[in-house]
Amino acid sequence: MDKYCMHKEVCLKNSEDKYYLFTCSIPNASSISWLNFITDKFIMQNKKSYRVTVRVLKDNITLILTSEHTSTYKFSEQAINVKCSTSMFIGSETLLLSKKFDPPNYINDYTVNYVPSYKYVLKFSSEDESFQKLKEHPNDPLIIICRIKCTKNFSDSVKTPGNTSTGGYKNLKKLAAAFRNSSESLHQKVLLIVGQESETVNKAILCSRSPVFANMFQNNMREVSENTVIITDIKMPEIRALVSFLYTGKLPNYDFRFLCKLCYAADKYDIADLRQICVDLLLPQISTTNVFRALKLAFSHNIERLKSTVMACVAENIETLVMTNDWKNLLDDKPEIAVEIINFCEF
């Protein structure tokens, strides 16, 4: 089970909402003729629990979320407070589909020891365009992200993953490859200048990890003769975090705003693994207080995995969000994004 699945939970400060983020990665999904697995049960703070079932067959894929309760008291009211949406990707970035789960059905399921439950189902099959698209990528993994929202007086604590990394050994291999494949002197340095501040980075490491930086030094630009890069749209703290990641493969527990800025820098310089980790850290922190900032980042940089999660958050809270100045500003500045949100909400 650990091979496929990961769960995260986040309690948002000053909010009654709690989000559970279930992610699943299935290698070579389009070539699988039969696969069925069920996650462990996860207990929520409001005494509900959930488990996820994933079934992959030759002609269809089904995702089932079963929400269980410890008591039948006001059970139907409790179920209404659970909202589910999911996104599926080919690889890490190509969006396959983004949908809400079907309305839940009440069940007394023998598999959950007669515990009263609600079952949410999402299924797509060979007749669907998204399923056919998956079959066209036999070597790519299927990534599933399921966002579960529960409302009801939770604690103020914020739980976010810390010290996220690409893996120490994996990063060392990348550093070794950078030095092995470099045509430059291994001792050559580059100066990254932001205003009056500067950061030094090994040229071989920088160019091997960023195609954008590599291109600068291959086209007889000013950077070639001076070994300097002047940066005007990114601040030095983000540059230092970027350089630190290139050397260590790790990110500390940065806050939401900083991660958005760092994700911008990673995308600008095409550092794919840094961008992916920034998105991983951003996803469980998305809330109604920061959703518009995340929305602009997702759309301006076409980050599909972030975009689908943000759209789900907006759809879940659309009646509240349309009353805010952020919504008005979005309509004024980015009406095309607002139109896409309206279409996604399916009024």
Side-chain angles (χ1 to χ4, degrees):
M1 190 56 56
D2 292 339
K3 177 181 179 182
Y4 295 112
C5 303
M6 177 172 61
H7 289 251
K8 299 177 184 177
E9 61 180 76
V10 56
C11 304
L12 302 171
K13 192 172 183 179
N14 300 322
S15 172
E16 292 187 349
D17 296 342
K18 182 167 185 175
Y19 296 89
Y20 295 82
L21 204 65
F22 162 78
T23 62
C24 170
S25 177
I26 305 174
N28 306 315
S30 65
S31 59
I32 293 175
S33 58
W34 186 88
L35 174 67
N36 185 84
F37 61 89
I38 304 174
T39 69
D40 295 330
K41 183 191 297 185
F42 287 80
I43 305 297
M44 304 178 185
Q45 277 193 321
N46 59 356
K47 306 304 180 184
K48 289 181 258 186
S49 66
Y50 76 91
R51 68 176 77 216
V52 179
T53 302
V54 179
R55 295 173 183 164
V56 181
L57 302 177
K58 188 175 182 179
D59 59 354
N60 68 78
I61 295 176
T62 305
L63 187 66
I64 302 170
L65 186 143
T66 305
S67 176
E68 306 164 15
H69 303 262
T70 57
S71 168
T72 58
Y73 177 67
K74 291 186 178 180
F75 181 66
S76 60
E77 292 183 15
Q78 293 178 4
I80 292 173
N81 291 336
V82 178
K83 295 183 179 180
C84 314
S85 58
T86 192
S87 300
M88 296 187 185
F89 298 83
I90 301 171
S92 61
E93 294 294 338
T94 304
L95 181 64
L96 200 62
L97 62 84
S98 183
K99 290 184 178 180
K100 301 174 187 177
F101 278 80
D102 290 337
N105 295 316
Y106 174 75
I107 58 171
N108 272 317
D109 198 331
Y110 292 102
T111 63
V112 291
N113 299 319
Y114 298 98
V115 175
S117 308
Y118 268 87
K119 182 178 287 187
Y120 303 76
V121 179
L122 178 65
K123 182 176 182 178
F124 71 114
S125 59
S126 55
E127 293 81 19
D128 299 317
E129 182 180 347
S130 53
F131 190 86
Q132 296 172 10
K133 187 175 181 181
L134 174 64
K135 289 296 183 181
E136 294 172 1
H137 297 78
N139 299 320
D140 293 335
L142 174 66
I143 309 295
I144 300 172
I145 299 177
C146 178
R147 178 183 170 90
I148 306 159
K149 174 187 174 184
C150 299
T151 58
K152 204 152 192 163
N153 299 324
F154 298 108
S155 72
D156 290 340
S157 64
V158 178
K159 298 182 181 180
T160 55
N163 202 27
T164 301
S165 71
T166 57
Y169 179 69
K170 184 177 179 181
N171 193 67
L172 288 175
K173 289 183 66 176
K174 289 183 178 181
L175 291 177
F179 290 129
R180 185 168 54 249
N181 299 327
S182 176
S183 59
E184 307 288 346
S185 167
L186 298 186
H187 297 284
Q188 198 165 0
K189 303 292 193 299
V190 171
L191 208 59
L192 305 179
I193 299 175
V194 179
Q196 301 300 313
E197 300 179 279
S198 63
E199 178 75 5
T200 302
V201 58
N202 184 283
K203 187 175 182 180
I205 294 174
L206 184 68
C207 293
S208 70
R209 302 292 293 277
S210 167
V212 175
F213 279 119
N215 187 60
M216 290 182 186
F217 292 99
Q218 289 174 355
N219 291 294
N220 294 320
M221 300 173 69
R222 173 183 51 77
E223 288 82 3
V224 175
S225 58
E226 300 180 9
N227 267 346
T228 61
V229 179
I230 297 174
I231 300 169
T232 59
D233 58 341
I234 302 171
K235 294 182 179 180
M236 183 52 74
E238 290 86 63
I239 291 298
R240 288 190 173 127
L242 183 151
V243 171
S244 175
F245 178 82
L246 296 182
Y247 281 80
T248 67
K250 296 183 178 182
L251 284 186
N253 231 357
Y254 292 127
D255 63 27
F256 190 87
R257 284 181 170 270
F258 191 89
L259 283 170
C260 285
K261 295 175 183 176
L262 187 57
C263 189
Y264 168 87
D267 192 73
K268 176 182 177 179
Y269 294 116
D270 197 14
I271 305 174
D273 48 353
L274 176 57
R275 179 176 58 232
Q276 181 173 331
I277 289 177
C278 285
V279 172
D280 289 342
L281 291 170
L282 283 168
L283 288 178
Q285 298 188 53
I286 293 171
S287 70
T288 54
T289 60
N290 59 35
V291 68
F292 285 102
R293 184 180 184 90
L295 193 69
K296 291 177 182 178
L297 175 68
F299 275 85
S300 61
H301 294 275
N302 197 31
I303 306 173
E304 290 291 352
R305 201 154 55 97
L306 181 60
K307 188 188 299 184
S308 62
T309 303
V310 171
M311 294 281 279
C313 180
V314 172
E316 290 164 1
N317 301 278
I318 189 65
E319 292 186 6
T320 302
L321 292 174
V322 294
M323 304 300 292
T324 65
N325 287 330
D326 286 327
W327 175 256
K328 180 181 181 300
N329 293 336
L330 186 70
L331 285 171
D332 292 339
D333 301 335
K334 299 287 184 180
E336 67 280 4
I337 298 179
V339 169
E340 191 162 341
I341 290 173
I342 292 169
N343 291 336
F344 179 83
C345 290
E346 297 178 349
F347 291 106

